[in-house]
Amino acid sequence: MTVIWNPLLDEPASRWQALADRLGREQFAPLAPLLDRDQRYPWETIEALVEHKFTGLFLPREWGGQGENLTTTVAAVETLGTHCSSTSAIMCAYQLGAFPILLAGNDTQKNLYLREMTLGRATSFALSERIAGSDAAAIEATAVREGDGWRLRGEKYWIGNGGASRYYVVFAKTDPAAGGRGISAFMVDKEEPGVVIDELSDKMGIRGTQTSNLKLDLVVPDSARVGELNRALRLALQTLNVGRIMVAAQSLGLALAAFREAASRAVQRKTFGQPIGENQAIGFKLADMATEISAARMMLYAAAQAYDQGQDVSNLGAMAKLFASEVSHRVVDNTVQIWGGLGYCKPTIAERLYRDQRILEIYEGSSEIQRLVLSRAVRKEAEEQTK
């Protein structure tokens, strides 16, 4: 819809966006209500993503990927999200698991795990625990030297693609007395003895995704360690900086889908002899929705392009994730309002999007955490300017 601001994309990004739109319309959108109803992980969707090389979209060519930049990846994820929230969430989980390996893995690890990802055997990001989500330094999982390897013990929660992924980047304390400065990362294969997935979350929305816990009591070799010893918290935060931009893209895809439903309903539904969109109460809602979506898209693509240019996106990514996720909340809330009673009932798209949206303000750092990150940045800048 031309009323919404559209980014000026280069040829590769436009091509991937068009492919995502075609697959979304033909395969993912028809499947979305069934996945929501049955809470089933869509292996057929994974097969399609692998076949069309989306699972390796953002991975370097030398490791079997397509070598595309973050802007292209964002365009694809956003477009997939206009058709199926679960599919865009799965793509975000793929990226989140890959980036610790991309940023800190050695060549052997990249050659194994990144190539596996292009074939649909994903790696998941295992940082959070039942009592340690926003406060990552509070994790209790440990890795203790045992022979030539490490004894990993603990339990991880809220793992995206959990159970469906073959591999996990597990963050554990190797120096508990050092707090956040004593955390290391290790690759774990779920097929190894001592790895148990025994709980799958029954979620409100994005029910085509799989979220699990991971219980650990096993020895891994030192070669399983990713990056420097006791320096993995910084690695996790660097990964989340990119992940937040990806969730902003997921948020915009959902917001665009909701906006289209609202606009269509506003011209088709009539009250008192005229379409409800001609009433200012509804027309102004649509105007605000279009404005906020456009503003959020501008911020999203600015953040992705800044990352591609090698800039620090810790603040801009936090802004994009915060604003886009909360815009999507307002948009989908107004969409349900415009749909009225039908929007509150299954199996309307408005009702499903309303449930799918809520997680976007929670995972990859809640809105409160984004505001904390940004308030600290503001304070630091102000203090430097007053010296």
Side-chain angles (χ1 to χ4, degrees), residues 70 234 237-242 244-245 302-319 373-374 377 380:
L70 187 60
R234 182 172 183 271
L237 296 178
Q238 288 176 319
T239 298
L240 289 169
N241 283 341
V242 184
R244 287 163 181 167
I245 297 174
Q305 290 164 6
Y307 182 85
D308 290 335
Q309 294 165 6
Q311 298 178 31
D312 178 6
V313 294
S314 54
N315 293 332
L316 187 54
M319 290 179 182
V373 168
L374 293 168
K380 180 180 178 181

Side-chain angles (χ1 to χ4, degrees), residues 36-81:
D36 178 70
R37 182 193 66 194
D38 300 335
Q39 190 165 216
R40 177 178 66 81
Y41 192 76
W43 289 108
E44 61 269 57
T45 294
I46 302 302
E47 290 177 4
L49 293 173
V50 170
E51 177 186 353
H52 295 281
K53 305 186 184 305
F54 279 95
T55 55
L57 178 61
F58 49 85
L59 301 178
R61 292 183 182 276
E62 61 188 300
W63 310 118
Q66 302 306 301
E68 298 295 348
N69 60 22
L70 187 60
T71 301
T72 298
T73 306
V74 157
V77 168
E78 179 192 54
T79 303
L80 290 170

Side-chain angles (χ1 to χ4, degrees), residues 2-17:
T2 56
V3 70
I4 302 290
W5 176 84
N6 284 306
L8 182 62
L9 300 175
D10 60 16
E11 190 278 331
S14 297
R15 177 164 40 84
W16 283 102
Q17 185 184 58

